[in-house]
Amino acid sequence: MSWWSMLRVTKERDNAIVGGLTFLLVLLWLGFFVHRAPRFAGSVPGQVFGIFGAALMLVPLAYVIVKRVPWLKRAVTRRVPMRTLLAWHIYAGVLGPVLVLIHTGHHFHSPLGIALTTMTIVVALSGYIGRYLMKSIGEDLRTKKALLSEAQYAFDSLSQQAAPAAPTALVITPPMGFLRRLRAALFDDAVLHTSSEAQHAQRSMRVAALQADLEYAVRMQEGVKRVFGKWLKVHIAISFVLYALLVLHVWSSIHFGLRWLT
């Protein structure tokens, strides 16, 4: 198996694992309607789930700090590449909330607990959706830009071959969809059976129509990408709200749950 095939299989496996954990997160939240365990959060197993879940939820914060502090980034990436840190960020950002939801035992009775659980789910889902949706948009945008470059090259070549008087011999054809235009522009060699100049001109018109469609699609997707570019700022902002609620929850658990130590 080639290096590229192994990388592709790894990415598909990672996407499947993260998608499965995200589905499990939603499924655990829906378990609130069929299951309640009021004492589980304070039990030893419940506290273990809560501690490990909270620790994993701090990993994405470490990634954000490393990414945005130049000297720290240089020091860390000497040993661990940013791609590996991003993978840890994604896995911990989904697995941590899963453990936290198990820790709750589906017993939500305090405003702080409800707010913390809600923000945990919102942050995890926004991170998953934003990450993979932006990735899909970026890949599709690169594909369309490559097709646009090919269409521009084909149009320039056909324009040089077509005679100035050729448009007078053209036959008007009915409108075609995007895929038919792409096939006709790149693969159809028998467009017209009149003269070679007319054939070149006809193919030039089809390539021009295809080019216009691609330019419109590229502009639209670039606009969507700019909008989703703001998603990262929103995701980071609500993540800090989540961390603030997490600190309050840990403090209240220690203050009210462990007060017997004093």
Side-chain angles (χ1 to χ4, degrees), residues 24-33 35 41 50 57 93-94 96-126 238-239 241-250 253:
L24 178 61
L25 176 66
V26 177
L27 194 64
L28 286 173
W29 175 77
L30 293 176
F32 169 78
F33 297 100
H35 170 260
M57 288 171 61
V94 181
V98 169
L99 297 181
V100 166
L101 276 182
I102 296 176
H103 157 74
T104 63
H106 298 127
H107 182 61
F108 309 120
H109 68 283
S110 68
L112 178 58
I114 295 173
L116 180 58
T117 304
T118 302
M119 290 302 299
T120 300
I121 297 173
V122 169
V123 170
L125 292 180
S126 69
I238 60 177
S239 297
V241 174
L242 170 63
Y243 289 127
L245 293 174
L246 181 61
V247 169
L248 287 175
H249 176 69
V250 172
S253 299

Side-chain angles (χ1 to χ4, degrees), residues 161-174:
Q161 298 173 13
T168 59
L170 294 179
V171 177
I172 302 301
T173 56

